[in-house]
Amino acid sequence: MVHNGIEYGDMQLIAEVYDTMKSTLGMSNLEIADVFDEWNKSELESYLIEITATILRKKDDETGCGYVIDYILDKTGMKGTGRWTIQEGAERGVAISTLAAALDARMLSGLKEEREVASKVLDEPSMQSTDKTQVVADLRAALYASKVCSYAQGLSLIKAASDEYQWDVDLSECARLWMGGCIIRAKLLGSIREAYSKNSNLSNLLVDAGFASALNERSVAWRRLIALCVTSGVTCSALCNSLSYFDTYRRARLPANLTQAQRDFFGGHTYERTDKDGRFHTAWTDAHKDIGDASQRTSGENVQI
Amino acid sequence: MVHNGIEYGDMQLIAEVYDTMKSTLGMSNLEIADVFDEWNKSELESYLIEITATILRKKDDETGCGYVIDYILDKTGMKGTGRWTIQEGAERGVAISTLAAALDARMLSGLKEEREVASKVLDEPSMQSTDKTQVVADLRAALYASKVCSYAQGLSLIKAASDEYQWDVDLSECARLWMGGCIIRAKLLGSIREAYSKNSNLSNLLVDAGFASALNERSVAWRRLIALCVTSGVTCSALCNSLSYFDTYRRARLPANLTQAQRDFFGGHTYERTDKDGRFHTAWTDAHKDIGDASQRTSGENVQI
């Protein structure tokens, strides 16, 4: 199931990269195919990149005119494993936001008729001037970094289930299995296998020394590319969610203190502090009643909001 | 349940706005409280904005020094309705990505110890130069536009369930109910009520004429703000996911054609065309076997990938 969830993510990331080359750079199918072919000789080597190049070169037999890709309706079917993966991520408390973006993109693609109506009332931003060589290089960096985050999410989900049910899953072996015959087979899996072979207790793929430096090296290009898409109105939800995952996971301090304060304000849910142990409650206003001993309150883990 | 899912979204959007003012503009708690107070007299008027200002002004009683918000641990508790909402969105095939970003942010905030380790190996980008007045104005526009998209998602989920189970839910009445006593009570709900009163069959809140123009007016500021956050490394996953929702829903043409081509390539799942009815399959390479009559294949709606 998680293999398929990751596959959804890979397919959506590739779709966004294709869209950016087409919509912001105005590249032809053959030019885009050349880029994917070139990438397939790099750290991005994978079955899905390979078939994407082949797909983009395929002439249309039905009409004898142009490329088949341009005749295919942009409405994606799906039912099953992607949805189950998202539900399982929520169940296990594991953020798998890149995979979720892929599922959401498929669901929204299905609303073709609604989108046609919306396109007439919601404005498209004006196109930004771009440097083609730079954008293509940024796309390569963004795609790789986003894939790493997506795999980190999927593997974290397997790890959480394995820990909970004491399955003792070997993630290195999992990566090796996916290298043979699977749709997500890719060079990247070799590096993932290596990372977990070196340290089977790795808390997250992102903090493996090799991946950390690969992500750090690509960070500026990745951010620049997403800023371009966001400004140009080219949807990049999976690329974005990978970056948000990176930017949330790598920050020692998040604004979750405000969320905790709000929960304590409206629900007396209490909070922890940075300077001392225990659970605390604040009488935020004169209208706040005494809630008694904060340590006796139902802990924040067990309330509904 | 959906009320609480929307509440998660609102709280995360406010947290990201607070984070941006604090991290990119270096504003003090009192300055940020002043901004929230001002916004509470505008289209953003709501209970959660109001209490946020109160929270930011509260002195710390434990130490007698500084503000309590700065002592609260950034680790958010939760269990329940947010998660159920996400699982239900997947079940119903409705994209509720802003709500999902809020759940993910809570789950990742819980990994405080892992984040502290990650912050030492994953780089923070250098800060961008900013114009404070501009950024605060952009935040206001981004928060409002993002809230509209978040409510559009939650209401779409209720509509989908209502349609499926023939509950005949009146979304105008739903907005009215949430205006009294609920944590998400807000001026915005009055406008939502009005939109559904005018047209109870509105396919999505975004295409109501009033909301469409409110979103179009804010679009440039909203994009500029997210580009700033993405470049500065300030996590803005909920603001981002609202924009991605907007940019997916408003586009008549998405790159889902490539996803369909890939599914046909590796699974013979067939595709629809833009120029004629029916289901089609392409022999993408010489290695592709004949799959027989494409119209007899299990439709794309019923396959697992």
Side-chain angles (χ1 to χ4, degrees):
Chain A
M1 180 193 74
V2 176
H3 168 281
N4 288 12
I6 290 174
E7 179 182 329
Y8 270 58
D10 275 352
M11 292 167 75
Q12 178 60 21
L13 287 168
I14 293 172
E16 293 175 8
V17 164
Y18 153 73
D19 192 14
T20 306
M21 286 193 264
K22 192 179 153 184
S23 304
T24 71
L25 301 177
M27 288 168 67
S28 71
N29 291 320
L30 293 185
E31 283 181 289
I32 301 173
D34 286 345
V35 170
F36 280 113
D37 269 343
E38 194 194 313
W39 290 356
N40 204 37
K41 296 175 205 136
S42 76
E43 72 285 358
L44 286 170
E45 184 194 317
S46 67
Y47 172 72
L48 284 168
I49 295 276
E50 179 194 326
I51 72 168
T52 300
T54 306
I55 285 168
L56 291 168
R57 288 208 172 83
K58 186 73 184 167
K59 296 272 178 64
D60 185 47
D61 289 337
E62 288 289 326
T63 60
C65 167
Y67 296 88
V68 61
I69 188 72
D70 296 321
Y71 292 96
I72 297 181
L73 189 70
D74 55 326
K75 203 170 161 179
T76 316
M78 49 106 203
K79 189 174 175 185
T81 49
R83 185 185 48 169
W84 304 338
T85 310
I86 300 318
Q87 292 177 320
E88 192 59 22
E91 191 62 35
R92 299 266 82 73
V94 177
I96 49 171
S97 45
T98 308
L99 284 51
L103 182 71
D104 287 342
R106 290 197 184 195
M107 297 188 306
L108 289 170
S109 80
L111 308 176
K112 176 78 175 170
E113 294 74 20
E114 286 188 37
R115 289 191 284 109
E116 281 170 344
V117 173
S119 72
K120 295 187 181 89
V121 295
L122 300 171
D123 297 346
E124 179 151 310
S126 54
M127 274 294 140
Q128 309 298 304
S129 68
T130 50
D131 171 336
K132 185 169 154 184
T133 311
Q134 168 93 78
V135 174
V136 172
D138 286 355
L139 279 168
R140 174 174 164 174
L143 180 55
Y144 186 78
S146 296
K147 267 177 72 95
V148 171
C149 291
S150 183
Y151 283 65
Q153 295 164 26
L155 293 166
S156 293
L157 177 53
I158 295 179
K159 184 174 185 292
S162 176
D163 289 349
E164 185 160 346
Y165 300 116
Q166 296 170 308
W167 289 339
D168 206 19
V169 173
D170 178 345
L171 292 178
S172 158
E173 187 59 11
C174 176
R176 189 191 65 78
L177 283 170
W178 288 344
M179 290 169 77
C182 292
I183 287 172
I184 66 169
R185 60 185 181 267
K187 192 169 179 178
L188 171 64
L189 288 166
S191 313
I192 293 175
R193 185 187 175 193
E194 209 177 297
Y196 283 103
S197 298
K198 269 191 305 189
N199 178 5
S200 60
N201 291 318
L202 200 58
S203 53
N204 188 298
L205 192 62
L206 305 192
V207 294
D208 164 76
F211 282 113
S213 80
L215 291 164
N216 287 335
E217 280 163 21
R218 288 166 175 83
S219 152
V220 172
W222 191 12
R223 295 177 191 287
R224 186 168 49 216
L225 187 275
I226 291 176
L228 171 70
C229 290
V230 159
T231 317
S232 315
V234 175
T235 329
C236 62
S237 53
L239 292 164
C240 252
N241 278 10
S242 278
L243 181 62
S244 292
Y245 181 80
F246 177 75
D247 273 339
T248 308
Y249 191 81
R250 71 161 184 79
R251 293 177 79 200
R253 181 90 181 153
L254 291 172
N257 53 325
L258 178 59
T259 309
Q260 283 299 77
Q262 290 169 332
R263 295 172 72 238
D264 189 56
F265 189 110
F266 63 64
H269 293 322
T270 77
Y271 56 84
E272 291 176 272
R273 291 176 60 101
T274 53
D275 60 341
K276 47 179 95 172
D277 287 339
R279 298 204 69 85
F280 298 83
H281 168 67
T282 290
W284 297 95
T285 65
D286 295 342
H288 276 84
K289 291 188 208 100
D290 183 10
I291 62 162
D293 180 359
S295 65
Q296 297 303 306
R297 296 280 295 182
T298 305
S299 114
E301 298 306 310
N302 296 315
V303 295
Q304 296 296 340
I305 274 291
Chain B
M1 182 193 73
V2 177
H3 168 282
N4 288 12
I6 290 175
E7 178 182 329
Y8 270 58
D10 275 352
M11 291 167 76
Q12 178 60 21
L13 289 168
I14 293 172
E16 293 174 10
V17 164
Y18 152 73
D19 192 14
T20 306
M21 286 193 263
K22 191 178 153 185
S23 305
T24 71
L25 301 176
M27 289 168 66
S28 71
N29 291 319
L30 294 184
E31 281 181 291
I32 301 173
D34 286 344
V35 170
F36 280 113
D37 270 342
E38 194 194 313
W39 289 356
N40 204 36
K41 296 175 205 137
S42 76
E43 73 284 358
L44 285 170
E45 184 193 316
S46 66
Y47 172 71
L48 284 169
I49 295 276
E50 178 193 327
I51 72 168
T52 300
T54 307
I55 285 168
L56 291 168
R57 288 207 171 84
K58 186 72 183 169
K59 295 274 177 64
D60 186 48
D61 288 337
E62 287 289 326
T63 60
C65 167
Y67 295 87
V68 61
I69 187 73
D70 296 322
Y71 292 97
I72 298 181
L73 189 70
D74 55 325
K75 204 169 159 177
T76 316
M78 49 107 200
K79 187 174 177 184
T81 48
R83 186 184 47 167
W84 304 339
T85 311
I86 301 318
Q87 292 177 320
E88 192 60 22
E91 192 63 34
R92 299 265 82 74
V94 178
I96 48 171
S97 44
T98 308
L99 284 51
L103 182 72
D104 287 342
R106 290 197 183 194
M107 297 189 304
L108 289 170
S109 81
L111 308 176
K112 176 76 175 171
E113 296 72 20
E114 286 187 38
R115 289 191 284 109
E116 281 171 344
V117 172
S119 72
K120 296 189 181 87
V121 295
L122 300 171
D123 297 347
E124 181 151 308
S126 54
M127 274 296 140
Q128 309 297 306
S129 68
T130 50
D131 172 336
K132 185 170 152 183
T133 311
Q134 168 93 78
V135 174
V136 172
D138 286 355
L139 279 168
R140 175 173 164 175
L143 180 56
Y144 186 77
S146 297
K147 265 176 74 93
V148 172
C149 290
S150 183
Y151 283 65
Q153 295 165 25
L155 292 166
S156 292
L157 177 53
I158 295 178
K159 184 173 186 290
S162 176
D163 289 349
E164 185 160 346
Y165 299 115
Q166 297 169 305
W167 290 338
D168 206 18
V169 173
D170 178 346
L171 292 178
S172 159
E173 187 59 11
C174 176
R176 190 190 66 78
L177 282 170
W178 288 344
M179 289 169 78
C182 291
I183 287 173
I184 66 169
R185 59 185 182 266
K187 192 169 179 178
L188 171 64
L189 288 165
S191 312
I192 294 175
R193 185 186 175 193
E194 208 177 297
Y196 283 104
S197 298
K198 270 191 305 190
N199 178 4
S200 61
N201 291 317
L202 200 58
S203 56
N204 187 298
L205 192 61
L206 305 192
V207 294
D208 165 76
F211 282 113
S213 81
L215 290 165
N216 287 336
E217 280 164 22
R218 288 167 177 82
S219 154
V220 172
W222 190 13
R223 296 178 189 286
R224 187 168 48 215
L225 187 275
I226 290 176
L228 171 69
C229 289
V230 159
T231 317
S232 316
V234 175
T235 328
C236 62
S237 52
L239 293 163
C240 251
N241 278 11
S242 278
L243 181 63
S244 292
Y245 182 79
F246 177 76
D247 273 339
T248 308
Y249 192 80
R250 70 162 185 78
R251 294 176 77 201
R253 181 88 180 154
L254 290 173
N257 54 325
L258 178 59
T259 309
Q260 284 299 78
Q262 289 170 333
R263 296 172 71 239
D264 190 55
F265 188 108
F266 62 64
H269 294 323
T270 78
Y271 56 84
E272 291 176 273
R273 291 176 61 100
T274 53
D275 61 341
K276 48 180 96 170
D277 286 339
R279 300 203 66 87
F280 298 84
H281 168 69
T282 290
W284 296 95
T285 66
D286 294 344
H288 277 82
K289 291 188 207 97
D290 184 11
I291 62 162
D293 181 358
S295 65
Q296 297 302 309
R297 295 282 295 182
T298 304
S299 114
E301 299 304 312
N302 297 316
V303 295
Q304 297 295 340
I305 274 293

